[in-house]
Amino acid sequence: MKKIILLLCFMLSSHLFYAQSKVTGVVISSDDKLSIPGVSVLIKGTAKGTTTDFDGRFVIEVPKDGVLIFSYVGYKTQEVSVNDRSVIDVQLETDVTALDEVVVVGYGTQKKSDLTGAISTVKMEDVQKRQVSTIDQALQGQMAGVDVTVNSGTPGGGVMVRIRGVGTLNGTEPLFVVDGMMVDNIDYLNVDDIADIQVLKDASSTAIYGSRGANGVVIISTKKGDSKEPKITFNSYYGIQNFWRSAPVTNSKYWAILNNEAKNAAGINTFSSLVNPSSLPSTDWFGEISNKDASIANYDFSISGGNEKSNYFLSTGYLKQEGIVKKTDFERISLRINSNHQPKSWLKVGENISLVKTKSRSVNEEDEWNNILISAMNMDPVTPVKNPDGSFSAGIYNDIFNPLAEIEYTNNSYSSYRTLGNVFAELELFKGFTFKSNLSIEYSFGVSDGFNPVYYVSPTQHNDVSRISKDHDSQFMSQWSNTINYNKDFGEHSISVLFGTEVFNNRYLWDGSSASDLPTDDPDVRYIDNAKGRNLAQIYGSTFLVRQESVLSRINYSYKNKYLVTANFRADGSSKFSDKHKWGYFPSFSVGWKLSEEPFLKSVDLISSLKLRAGWGQIGNQGSVPAYQSVTTASTGQNYVWGGALVPGIAFQSSGNNEIKWETSTTTNIGVDFGLFKNKLNGSAEYYVKKTSDMLLQVPIASQSGLQEAPWQNAGEMKNTGFELSLNYSNKENDFKYGLGIVFSTVKNEVLSLGNGNEFINGGSFRENFFVTRTVVGKPIAQFYGYKTDGLFQNQAEVDAQTAQVNVAPGDVRYVDADKDGNLDLQFLGSPLPDFSYSLNTNFEYKDVDLNIVLQGVEGNKIFNGTTYYNRSSSGYWNMNVDMLNRWTGEGSQTNALYPRMNATDSNNSLMSDRYIEDGSYLRIKTVQLGYSLPNDLIEKFHVSKFRIYVTAQNLFTFTKYTGLDPEIGQGQQGALDLGIDRAFYPQSRLFSLGLNLEF
Amino acid sequence: MKKIIYKSSILLLSIFFLQSCSNDFLDTPAPNLSDAVYFSNDGAALSALAGVYDPLGWYDNMQVDEWAIGDVVSDDAEKGGENDADQADIYAISIFNANAENGLIREKWQAPYVGIGRANKLIEGITDNEKISESVRSRVIAEAKFLRGLYYFQLAKVFGGVPIVTKVLSPSEFTLPRNTLEETWAQIESDLTDAKSVLPKKSDLPTSEKGRATWGAASALLVKAYIFQEKWTEAEALAKEIVNSLEYDLEPSYEDIFRLSHDNGIESVFDIQYANLNTGDWGDDQEGTITPVFQGSRLNGGYGFDCPTQDLFDEFEAGDPRLKATIISDGDVLWEGTPDEETIYTIYPQNPTGYHSRKYQLPASEKGAESEDPLNWRFIRFAEVLLWQAEAAVHNGSDWETPLNRVRNRAGLSNTNQTDGLKAVYHERRVELAMEGHRYWDLVRTGRGSLMNGYSDNKRYFLIPSIEMSLNPNLEQNPY
């Protein structure tokens, strides 16, 4: 009997072993009955499995009595016994806890439903549809409370990212963390390499990053391979770009009329060459500097794959973008290797390595004196680009340099070589207890080349000796983070503890040299060695070193998976402060309550998820304070001559302040996350108050201080109060899928104090004539400040009726003397900060066709339009805005202060006033993309799993009252108080492109 | 296996904790020299002193602005250049329409304060500092005081009384109000008196130190301060002392005064130093002067500024050889008989007067590339000391003819036959010192401003720059 049983067992098992059969089936969604591609189909108890194809079909060899596990993100996992069947169709139910994706938080991950802080997640699909050269540009309009402003449309140009408004006057950029590594900027990233992006907004989520997270944290994870079939993708697009708007300046005829009128009014001789305005030829300088139909091309190729123990992701990309202004471009070649391995059951190791080379050519675009765009707007239209002999013409009517000659003779390029990498190891020492060590290194090297050939355009625009310059900068940044993590569930209690230390080191070195007199203009010999003036080369070089040390900790506790508590504590030590102020200590706490898990809500069908959150935290900031500001240091190059020979001199141009210490911001945040109608509609809303105290800033100082640069001080306090809302709705009906996303945020800023003795702080100097903004207690920062206009003096009686303005005549601007004391009064003229910003993201998909539209806008902000200082000047000196043809020409002819009379010696109408302040609100159709995917049954024959072509329009339309080149005005070079000041920045382009996504 | 895990975990954890918490790691010394250690030897004091001299040479402080106001605003010259808008700030001043945003006037406020701040920092850094040798210490302090006095003089001339700063300020002191004009003059007198008691004589300077402040420079500047305050007795006595020291003499040939080879020459009491370092840069970015190219004829590669008027031309007596050495007329040949020989054309549409200024022109062989020109600015020369002596003597009723005739005789003219001393001195100053940046200040300090079209007494001092008014609410604005 025993034997029989044994035999039976053997047979049974062998039966089990050998009784494989082929099972096929289709996986569909129980919701809409549509097939689901990519579902993982695994044989229970084995590592064997497959995934469904694009039609949701699968084929698998499975024991007749085996069990299949079907799983897919967003759906409930289902187990199905084979039971001798050969066809198994499965309906997966949508998982109402779909919010429960895992998100990356500082130094770890967390289930989204367990978060207690304010964290936004970006949908990478939408982001990758944007055809922009850098990822930060693509983030525009994606998240509530995250404002991205393109500072400059120059290829590869700068972007201003603000999380929850301007929280401080010092270092307002958020921290970027790429695969655990803190980096200064993310413009090196290839958009196609990014897997997901998380933005930590409130103190309780950023506190784990301590002082570096004071302005929010953007966490980026790059793509990883997985154990599925290896995947090969190829993405490419090609497009053309143009100015979306051109400069509204007059042609020769009208400019000559206005210039003559201005001269006559001032009693000055007019230009004899302008006596007959209608006979003059015209030059469209703005058109001349434009690079029409500038091209952009991008190619991206990647392979990923792996098995249970190892996976890999390899990619390479190439981007080449021409600028819409001549001689500007950007090129990037990038390469990435990411891999993860699990050599032992208790050990995981991996690395992410990225190599990038960029090269850009740019023109002077930031200052208001002679940047190329403002030169093109100001240059008189009478002067031709070139003389009959082919040489560049010199303008004789004003002192603007011929902009085409400027472009021709400027040879500046910057190449950057960056290597970024991190290696990590994670040990599970015993169950729930892991130790992770992550070492990141960035080494970057930049070379800036300049060459100024010999040329002569005019007595003022010429160069007699050629000059070559070569500058280098290199940066070595390292960061070593070590953390221990312990997770444990005790019945209904679940606890997770993180403890760690981190050291950060940033060494920056720069040097450069320049020498004169190269024998030829040949680009191949542009090296210092070939310069005849090599022995008289000018050289410079120095360094800085910044270090930081930190201890960090976090406890997450949850009870019954309903009540959640998080506490963080971080201590940061910085080399920037003197010994007594080096360390800062920053705690935070937050709580969450999953209401939808409570019995009284569980039965409510309408609500699929609902969570309330509240948090409080403090974070330090040292932001943009450069190294060594606690000491007074000597600057060289302050030279003089004795006995005919150079005497090298020094000066102490600023004053160190060893009392500077950490700036601290304290945030209180409450939020709610919700999902309704089976999560078809989900979203979150946040309200917060963020108070920043001991603000670090360089308070501008009077010249009598004897200093040329203002010292850093801890001065003042400010408050941001904000509300954020994001809503997403998605649904499908048969073959029609659609989604709608709305993002809305508003921030109210208020300065609470400016420290000892500072009644106000001026910002944004314009032509060194006046400051454009003023910051005072009780108002938001950087308010425009100047005279209020009150129309134009219409007749002599009106002029005589006042005493505040002297040397004025009818037709001049009348300013407001608010207190009637006979003196003009400077007043606040509006805010560069918007009342709210918003965006709208829509997706439609019908069968093989998809359409994506992104709208983005801001409302309620003002812009100082610096170009009108010139183009609506009464002097007629620069080229004029066409609307100045409506200038005042006699009593009653014009009452608007924008259009005063012409007067070549005017000094009244050019004062800082609301003449230059315009409404900066805009709504922009950022992206429209229409795509078509070839049907699967067609492409499968060619072993292609995806073939999609698409057309995109970028910045298709902009609805705005603003009259400048572009209403997207970020922060100027003069810092946080240089806001909303348009110095004729390089505007964004309108782009049309054609693209291809290919996947094998 | 478990053992290995435990051992390695202990090892790793110990690395992990050792790694942190050493304050040494956070001590990153600055790569620049800090003021705490800077003043450690004589060389350092001299470098900082060069830094105090540095603003003297700045474009906006001296190079252009001395003649832009001194000549152009006065009846001696017109602005010239391309048109009214070329150097519009100078134009605005010249028609007495300089608002508080005028860039040139702004520099007139800002640059001297940079120099003053540097002087104060230097004086504070080396006073009682044993690391600096006694001789260097006392001389460097005296030079810093000379320069501080000079910078305050610049301010007092343009703005009247200004906030007096004689130490390194703390931030709470950055908004001190203006001192009175009397207090400002007192500060200038005190600095120059201190300086002249220590500074060496010019004849004791080795060649390598030419250009540094001397007893004579400090004394002459003090005479000028007395003259501006109409302290005639003090002025005459001190001027006499300078004359009698025999440290200075008149160049035998008037024309030679402004030749490059006569930089720091026998007649030079104090020159602002310039040199061509052959960098090919714009002159002002290095140590060159841009005055020669600015004043050159537009038909000869210059920018055509600072054109002498017919009124000045007519002021010269018949046969006064100084005329040709001061004013270029159309077709004049410069550097005759040398390889640099050049005919200068001065009649063209943009030239408002048809003349150009001669004194700061350089022959091609001495010019630097791209306006990086050598040629010192004659800030005080001995002839002016003699004329101050004469002017003070007129007011004191003492012998004014001797010093005045010494100036005339050098030019080859006979003794003056003018009996009105003041008239004689005013005439002599105008022609002897023409196009050297003095005329405007002479007119306003002697109450003859009405000779200039558009001048009125409330234009005596310029408006304090609006940017400074907004940074320091305690400043009181001038009438204008």
Side-chain angles (χ1 to χ4, degrees):
Chain A
M1 188 60 205
K2 243 185 176 178
K3 277 184 183 170
I4 294 169
I5 293 168
L6 205 68
L7 186 70
L8 210 65
C9 284
F10 178 69
M11 283 171 67
L12 207 63
S13 63
S14 64
H15 171 82
L16 270 178
F17 192 71
Y18 289 109
Q20 297 274 40
S21 68
K22 194 189 228 178
V23 173
T24 62
V26 179
V27 182
I28 60 170
S29 161
S30 65
D31 241 12
D32 52 15
K33 315 295 181 204
L34 291 174
S35 58
I36 313 174
V39 176
S40 157
V41 185
L42 195 72
I43 304 169
K44 192 173 183 180
T46 73
K48 282 178 68 183
T50 183
T51 54
T52 57
D53 67 11
F54 269 81
D55 297 323
R57 287 192 298 249
F58 69 94
V59 182
I60 193 166
E61 291 280 340
V62 61
K64 285 185 190 305
D65 56 354
V67 175
L68 291 174
I69 303 172
F70 295 87
S71 61
Y72 190 66
V73 179
Y75 291 88
K76 283 184 176 160
T77 299
Q78 210 173 63
E79 295 192 10
V80 179
S81 300
V82 176
N83 288 339
D84 279 347
R85 288 180 290 176
S86 59
V87 177
I88 300 179
D89 292 337
V90 177
Q91 291 196 11
L92 290 184
E93 276 179 53
T94 43
D95 189 351
V96 285
T97 56
L99 281 180
D100 241 14
E101 46 194 291
V102 167
V103 296
V104 182
V105 295
Y107 304 92
T109 56
Q110 221 178 339
K111 278 192 290 183
K112 191 165 181 185
S113 66
D114 285 351
L115 293 176
T116 52
I119 296 183
S120 291
T121 305
V122 180
K123 279 193 270 175
M124 279 316 293
E125 275 174 57
D126 295 345
V127 166
Q128 277 153 357
K129 283 181 178 164
R130 301 283 193 89
Q131 266 144 45
V132 288
S133 45
T134 62
I135 179 64
D136 33 11
Q137 289 180 28
L139 294 178
Q140 201 168 35
Q142 294 294 321
M143 291 159 288
V146 181
D147 290 325
V148 177
T149 312
V150 178
N151 260 345
S152 160
T154 196
V159 167
M160 177 179 91
V161 182
R162 292 284 173 275
I163 295 175
R164 294 191 158 177
V166 187
T168 169
L169 299 181
N170 142 57
T172 43
E173 285 290 311
L175 170 69
F176 297 99
V177 180
V178 180
D179 296 324
M181 174 173 194
M182 300 177 186
V183 293
D184 290 339
N185 63 64
I186 49 173
D187 56 13
Y188 71 93
L189 283 172
N190 183 346
V191 179
D192 281 324
D193 284 353
I194 295 166
D196 61 71
I197 299 178
Q198 245 79 244
V199 178
L200 316 185
K201 298 189 290 194
D202 70 332
S204 68
S205 10
T206 63
I208 196 70
Y209 287 103
S211 63
R212 304 202 62 198
N215 299 307
V217 182
V218 180
I219 302 182
I220 295 172
S221 309
T222 56
K223 284 180 179 164
K224 291 177 175 49
D226 55 31
S227 54
K228 293 176 192 164
E229 275 285 289
K231 196 163 89 175
I232 301 171
T233 61
F234 175 74
N235 296 319
S236 175
Y237 62 81
Y238 177 85
I240 55 167
Q241 315 152 85
N242 281 298
F243 278 95
W244 67 274
R245 175 183 263 188
S246 78
V249 289
T250 50
N251 62 16
S252 282
K253 176 181 162 189
Y254 293 112
W255 179 71
I257 290 171
L258 294 172
N259 187 277
N260 289 339
E261 190 176 314
K263 289 280 177 62
N264 287 328
I268 294 172
N269 291 339
T270 56
F271 287 107
S272 53
S273 49
L274 300 182
V275 286
N276 196 353
S278 32
S279 69
L280 295 165
S282 251
T283 304
D284 171 13
W285 287 102
F286 203 79
E288 291 290 343
I289 64 160
S290 307
N291 179 22
K292 292 185 183 71
D293 296 338
S295 68
I296 179 168
N298 184 67
Y299 311 91
D300 182 76
F301 182 76
S302 72
I303 305 180
S304 63
N307 54 36
E308 287 74 25
K309 291 257 159 93
S310 282
N311 63 55
Y312 61 89
F313 173 83
L314 300 177
S315 85
T316 174
Y318 176 76
L319 169 80
K320 170 103 193 191
Q321 182 180 7
E322 285 179 355
I324 50 178
V325 173
K326 283 175 178 166
K327 232 172 168 177
T328 60
D329 51 30
F330 178 72
E331 184 183 40
R332 181 178 62 215
I333 304 170
S334 62
L335 190 148
R336 172 174 288 278
I337 308 167
N338 292 349
S339 55
N340 294 285
H341 313 277
Q342 186 159 12
K344 301 284 175 198
S345 62
W346 45 271
L347 177 66
K348 286 182 192 159
V349 295
E351 93 290 314
N352 304 287
I353 292 171
S354 154
L355 302 176
V356 187
K357 187 214 165 184
T358 60
K359 183 172 184 182
S360 57
R361 290 192 302 165
S362 54
V363 291
N364 174 12
E365 57 164 305
E366 264 258 20
D367 78 57
E368 65 272 25
W369 301 92
N370 46 19
N371 84 51
I372 288 295
L373 289 150
I374 216 149
S375 296
M377 291 174 79
N378 290 348
M379 184 82 182
D380 69 82
V382 180
T383 304
V385 176
K386 289 189 173 179
N387 299 315
D389 66 359
S391 62
F392 285 104
S393 321
I396 58 164
Y397 304 103
N398 59 29
D399 62 2
I400 305 295
F401 290 167
N402 182 326
L404 271 298
E406 285 295 281
I407 291 175
E408 172 72 23
Y409 298 128
T410 301
N411 298 282
N412 293 335
S413 69
Y414 182 72
S415 301
S416 143
Y417 305 82
R418 289 177 80 172
T419 310
L420 299 97
N422 69 312
V423 177
F424 66 89
E426 196 178 321
L427 285 84
E428 186 166 35
L429 298 174
F430 50 87
K431 183 147 176 53
F433 188 94
T434 51
F435 168 78
K436 186 172 180 182
S437 187
N438 185 9
L439 178 66
S440 311
I441 284 173
E442 174 182 355
Y443 181 72
S444 58
F445 183 68
V447 185
S448 154
D449 277 296
F451 177 67
N452 198 7
V454 174
Y455 62 89
Y456 186 93
V457 179
S458 74
T460 46
Q461 188 182 11
H462 66 108
N463 185 40
D464 303 338
V465 186
S466 64
R467 191 148 190 97
I468 174 179
S469 66
K470 223 166 185 65
D471 307 281
H472 309 104
D473 61 273
S474 67
Q475 187 164 19
F476 181 80
M477 225 174 347
S478 61
Q479 176 198 325
W480 189 22
S481 319
N482 288 298
T483 49
I484 27 178
N485 209 329
Y486 181 64
N487 296 308
K488 178 88 181 159
D489 293 346
F490 308 91
E492 291 179 316
H493 308 267
S494 149
I495 190 161
S496 155
V497 179
L498 174 81
F499 183 79
T501 62
E502 186 169 88
V503 287
F504 172 82
N505 186 83
N506 181 10
R507 165 69 79 181
Y508 191 75
L509 288 151
W510 64 92
D511 64 79
S513 48
S514 62
S516 59
D517 207 357
L518 243 72
T520 86
D521 284 356
D522 180 356
D524 293 337
V525 301
R526 286 180 191 164
Y527 294 95
I528 300 276
D529 268 1
N530 298 324
K532 288 188 208 155
R534 194 180 69 148
N535 57 328
L536 294 163
Q538 309 266 305
I539 53 166
Y540 70 90
S542 191
T543 184
F544 71 69
L545 174 62
V546 172
R547 281 176 168 165
Q548 190 168 320
E549 237 175 350
S550 311
V551 179
L552 53 107
S553 60
R554 177 173 59 210
I555 297 175
N556 294 314
Y557 166 76
S558 80
Y559 175 63
K560 284 187 168 171
N561 192 32
K562 278 194 276 194
Y563 311 105
L564 311 159
V565 179
T566 305
N568 284 288
F569 178 77
R570 175 148 171 159
D572 282 320
S574 167
S575 65
K576 288 181 183 175
F577 301 116
S578 67
D579 275 349
K580 53 184 166 178
H581 296 303
K582 274 194 168 34
W583 285 86
Y585 307 94
F586 311 109
S588 82
F589 309 94
S590 56
V591 291
W593 178 22
K594 291 189 202 170
L595 273 159
S596 49
E597 299 294 311
E598 297 289 353
F600 58 88
L601 276 183
K602 255 197 158 144
S603 51
V604 180
D605 266 356
L606 171 73
I607 299 169
S608 5
S609 66
L610 181 64
K611 184 173 63 175
L612 297 179
R613 295 180 274 104
W616 174 92
Q618 283 193 326
I619 306 178
N621 186 19
Q622 56 178 348
S624 56
V625 180
Y628 320 123
Q629 294 305 307
S630 62
V631 290
T632 303
T633 56
S635 306
T636 54
Q638 318 303 313
N639 307 334
Y640 196 63
V641 172
W642 286 337
L646 182 83
V647 187
I650 64 102
F652 297 92
Q653 294 180 316
S654 183
S655 168
N657 182 354
N658 63 8
E659 290 300 323
I660 53 170
K661 60 179 182 190
W662 292 94
E663 164 184 308
T664 306
S665 65
T666 308
T667 310
T668 308
N669 190 90
I670 55 172
V672 55
D673 299 329
F674 53 88
L676 304 172
F677 313 112
K678 294 188 176 173
N679 274 328
K680 277 181 191 161
L681 175 67
N682 62 57
S684 61
E686 313 268 352
Y687 174 80
Y688 64 89
V689 179
K690 180 176 180 181
K691 208 176 206 178
T692 306
S693 48
D694 295 325
M695 276 193 298
L696 282 163
L697 61 142
Q698 279 180 296
V699 183
I701 46 170
S703 292
Q704 67 197 73
S705 64
L707 303 176
Q708 288 161 277
E709 201 186 310
W712 286 89
Q713 300 177 32
N714 286 100
E717 207 177 4
M718 80 161 73
K719 188 169 84 170
N720 276 310
T721 314
F723 173 74
E724 292 159 1
L725 178 71
S726 62
L727 285 175
N728 285 295
Y729 181 76
S730 57
N731 201 2
K732 46 185 168 179
E733 280 160 27
N734 302 324
D735 285 344
F736 185 55
K737 287 193 222 173
Y738 58 96
L740 178 68
I742 294 173
V743 162
F744 172 88
S745 59
T746 169
V747 190
K748 187 174 167 288
N749 176 280
E750 186 186 355
V751 176
L752 301 178
S753 135
L754 288 173
N756 287 342
N758 297 314
E759 286 176 38
F760 56 83
I761 301 174
N762 292 323
S765 149
F766 191 78
R767 282 183 75 83
E768 292 179 26
N769 274 350
F770 47 72
F771 285 112
V772 176
T773 74
R774 172 170 287 205
T775 299
V776 294
V777 172
K779 283 190 180 290
I781 64 160
Q783 301 294 288
F784 296 121
Y785 191 67
Y787 297 111
K788 258 206 175 88
T789 55
D790 176 24
L792 302 168
F793 291 113
Q794 294 297 333
N795 50 49
Q796 193 57 41
E798 287 187 23
V799 172
D800 295 340
Q802 55 83 45
T803 53
Q805 286 165 267
V806 290
N807 295 331
V808 285
D812 281 331
V813 173
R814 175 167 48 209
Y815 297 104
V816 174
D817 170 15
D819 53 10
K820 307 281 176 211
D821 67 346
N823 290 309
L824 297 184
D825 303 298
L826 292 159
Q827 304 183 46
F828 289 97
L829 305 174
S831 175
L833 306 172
D835 294 336
F836 60 89
S837 51
Y838 59 97
S839 67
L840 197 73
N841 212 320
T842 54
N843 291 292
F844 304 96
E845 229 179 289
Y846 181 73
K847 290 186 174 163
D848 301 323
V849 180
D850 60 273
L851 176 68
N852 175 262
I853 300 171
V854 181
L855 308 176
Q856 184 259 332
V858 298
E859 191 65 34
N861 62 308
K862 298 274 193 288
I863 296 174
F864 172 85
N865 185 352
T867 63
T868 62
Y869 177 89
Y870 305 97
N871 303 136
R872 286 198 195 119
S873 161
S874 279
S875 69
Y877 180 64
W878 300 284
N879 199 357
M880 304 300 293
N881 195 309
V882 286
D883 58 19
M884 276 301 279
L885 295 169
N886 305 319
R887 77 226 169 265
W888 187 93
T889 48
E891 186 164 354
S893 59
Q894 177 58 266
T895 54
N896 189 335
L898 287 180
Y899 317 113
R901 70 174 177 130
M902 301 305 296
N903 171 18
T905 54
D906 167 70
S907 64
N908 175 72
N909 304 338
S910 63
L911 300 175
M912 169 62 197
S913 74
D914 56 17
R915 287 188 72 212
Y916 310 127
I917 309 294
E918 294 185 30
D919 184 352
S921 308
Y922 69 86
L923 167 62
R924 192 161 245 182
I925 304 182
K926 272 279 160 189
T927 313
V928 178
Q929 188 174 87
L930 182 67
Y932 173 71
S933 305
L934 290 184
N936 285 325
D937 42 358
L938 186 73
I939 57 176
E940 259 173 5
K941 292 173 197 155
F942 304 98
H943 306 285
V944 174
S945 55
K946 183 179 181 188
F947 185 101
R948 176 174 175 266
I949 49 172
Y950 59 88
V951 286
T952 306
Q954 187 88 4
N955 297 327
L956 189 58
F957 289 110
T958 304
F959 305 95
T960 184
K961 287 182 198 153
Y962 185 63
T963 64
L965 293 177
D966 202 315
E968 269 194 54
I969 305 292
Q971 181 179 314
Q973 275 177 336
Q974 298 171 28
L977 299 180
D978 190 349
L979 277 182
I981 301 176
D982 186 358
R983 299 182 167 90
F985 289 106
Y986 199 120
Q988 293 184 61
S989 60
R990 180 183 284 151
L991 162 79
F992 293 100
S993 64
L994 187 68
L996 168 72
N997 304 126
L998 200 57
E999 221 173 274
F1000 303 93
Chain B
M1 187 60 213
K2 270 199 160 171
K3 261 188 182 171
I4 296 170
I5 294 177
Y6 279 123
K7 274 186 182 168
S8 55
S9 65
I10 289 164
L11 183 75
L12 280 161
L13 284 173
S14 50
I15 295 173
F16 164 55
F17 288 112
L18 278 175
Q19 159 205 320
S20 59
C21 300
S22 68
N23 240 333
D24 289 354
F25 177 78
L26 296 178
D27 281 329
T28 55
N32 321 64
L33 294 161
S34 80
D35 57 349
V37 299
Y38 183 77
F39 294 104
S40 57
N41 56 52
D42 292 357
L46 290 170
S47 286
L49 179 63
V52 186
Y53 276 93
D54 172 39
L56 278 186
W58 290 354
Y59 168 93
D60 294 311
N61 189 26
M62 289 284 186
Q63 294 201 9
V64 165
D65 297 7
E66 274 303 280
W67 52 259
I69 299 179
D71 302 344
V72 173
V73 181
S74 80
D75 53 355
D76 272 3
E78 296 287 345
K79 180 181 70 71
E82 178 81 53
N83 51 42
D84 292 342
D86 191 3
Q87 300 288 327
D89 286 337
I90 301 178
Y91 179 72
I93 302 169
S94 74
I95 59 168
F96 297 98
N97 187 29
N99 60 25
E101 279 81 41
N102 191 288
L104 192 147
I105 299 299
R106 184 175 61 236
E107 291 300 329
K108 281 295 196 191
W109 180 277
Q110 293 178 343
Y113 271 119
V114 170
I116 290 163
R118 291 178 179 189
N120 291 336
K121 185 84 185 168
L122 170 61
I123 292 169
E124 205 161 288
I126 64 173
T127 301
D128 299 327
N129 182 339
E130 303 287 335
K131 291 174 187 154
I132 317 287
S133 67
E134 168 56 32
S135 58
V136 168
R137 213 191 317 160
S138 58
R139 183 174 167 198
V140 167
I141 289 173
E143 280 180 271
K145 284 189 172 176
F146 165 80
L147 291 165
R148 190 169 69 186
L150 190 158
Y151 290 131
Y152 274 116
F153 203 135
Q154 299 278 101
L155 288 166
K157 257 189 352 181
V158 182
F159 300 101
V162 296
I164 294 173
V165 183
T166 53
K167 59 173 184 133
V168 176
L169 297 181
S170 65
S172 63
E173 299 167 303
F174 288 168
T175 53
L176 295 174
R178 296 172 70 174
N179 290 81
T180 62
L181 181 59
E182 291 68 34
E183 288 165 340
T184 308
W185 282 123
Q187 178 60 40
I188 294 164
E189 286 185 20
S190 143
D191 272 340
L192 296 175
T193 308
D194 287 358
K196 84 181 173 70
S197 68
V198 175
L199 289 174
K201 294 251 169 32
K202 185 184 175 192
S203 52
D204 294 333
L205 291 187
T207 313
S208 64
E209 292 185 7
K210 287 275 164 59
R212 291 180 66 175
T214 58
W215 166 84
S219 302
L221 193 57
L222 187 52
V223 172
K224 189 172 180 178
Y226 291 145
I227 294 278
F228 267 69
Q229 298 174 81
E230 304 185 342
K231 290 185 171 176
W232 307 117
T233 322
E234 293 91 333
E236 188 182 358
L238 188 54
K240 257 186 181 162
E241 201 186 319
I242 298 168
V243 174
N244 293 338
S245 72
L246 304 181
E247 279 284 298
Y248 307 97
D249 200 352
L250 297 173
E251 293 278 359
S253 151
Y254 183 80
E255 198 179 340
D256 282 350
I257 301 168
F258 299 95
R259 298 292 66 81
L260 183 59
S261 52
H262 292 249
D263 269 1
N264 303 319
I266 184 68
E267 192 169 334
S268 160
V269 179
F270 191 68
D271 276 9
I272 310 284
Q273 309 287 309
Y274 292 109
N276 172 16
L277 301 176
N278 284 308
T279 62
D281 279 358
W282 181 246
D284 169 61
D285 295 339
Q286 298 295 334
E287 299 304 319
T289 172
I290 58 170
T291 293
V293 70
F294 263 64
Q295 295 188 351
S297 165
R298 297 182 77 86
L299 301 177
N300 293 75
Y303 303 167
F305 287 100
D306 203 11
C307 306
T309 56
Q310 190 64 42
D311 193 53
L312 173 65
F313 191 96
D314 296 341
E315 180 83 16
F316 287 87
E317 295 159 51
D320 188 337
R322 291 177 292 189
L323 175 62
K324 273 245 170 263
T326 304
I327 297 178
I328 305 173
S329 303
D330 195 51
D332 278 3
V333 177
L334 303 193
W335 339 114
E336 209 164 355
T338 72
D340 292 325
E341 187 174 296
E342 191 180 2
T343 307
I344 308 293
Y345 300 97
T346 60
I347 307 280
Y348 51 94
Q350 292 101 323
N351 190 329
T353 67
Y355 296 114
H356 274 303
S357 179
R358 168 77 176 83
K359 287 177 174 172
Y360 286 94
Q361 289 304 297
L362 277 170
S365 61
E366 292 174 356
K367 283 183 73 65
E370 186 73 15
S371 83
E372 193 186 9
D373 284 330
L375 191 57
N376 294 343
W377 180 258
R378 311 302 190 232
F379 189 72
I380 302 174
R381 57 187 180 91
F382 186 56
E384 190 172 19
V385 177
L386 290 170
L387 292 175
W388 284 330
Q389 187 196 341
E391 185 175 345
V394 172
H395 289 283
N396 295 333
S398 47
D399 171 22
W400 56 268
E401 288 91 344
T402 309
L404 184 123
N405 285 329
R406 188 170 166 191
V407 172
R408 288 178 62 82
N409 297 160
R410 183 265 303 268
L413 297 177
S414 57
N415 288 351
T416 180
N417 52 12
Q418 177 65 259
T419 52
D420 182 334
L422 221 42
K423 271 192 179 160
V425 169
Y426 288 167
H427 163 78
E428 211 55 48
R429 275 193 72 86
R430 190 174 187 196
V431 296
E432 172 69 23
L433 302 170
M435 306 306 287
E436 296 180 46
H438 299 302
R439 174 73 176 171
Y440 171 81
W441 305 108
D442 281 350
L443 292 180
V444 297
R445 80 175 162 81
T446 57
R448 291 178 291 153
S450 57
L451 289 176
M452 299 179 285
N453 264 343
Y455 180 83
S456 58
D457 283 343
N458 63 339
K459 310 263 181 186
R460 170 64 188 90
Y461 294 111
F462 290 92
L463 290 173
I464 294 175
S466 54
I467 208 162
E468 298 292 333
M469 295 293 295
S470 67
L471 288 169
N472 180 358
N474 298 323
L475 290 179
E476 202 184 312
Q477 184 59 284
N478 285 324
Y480 183 80

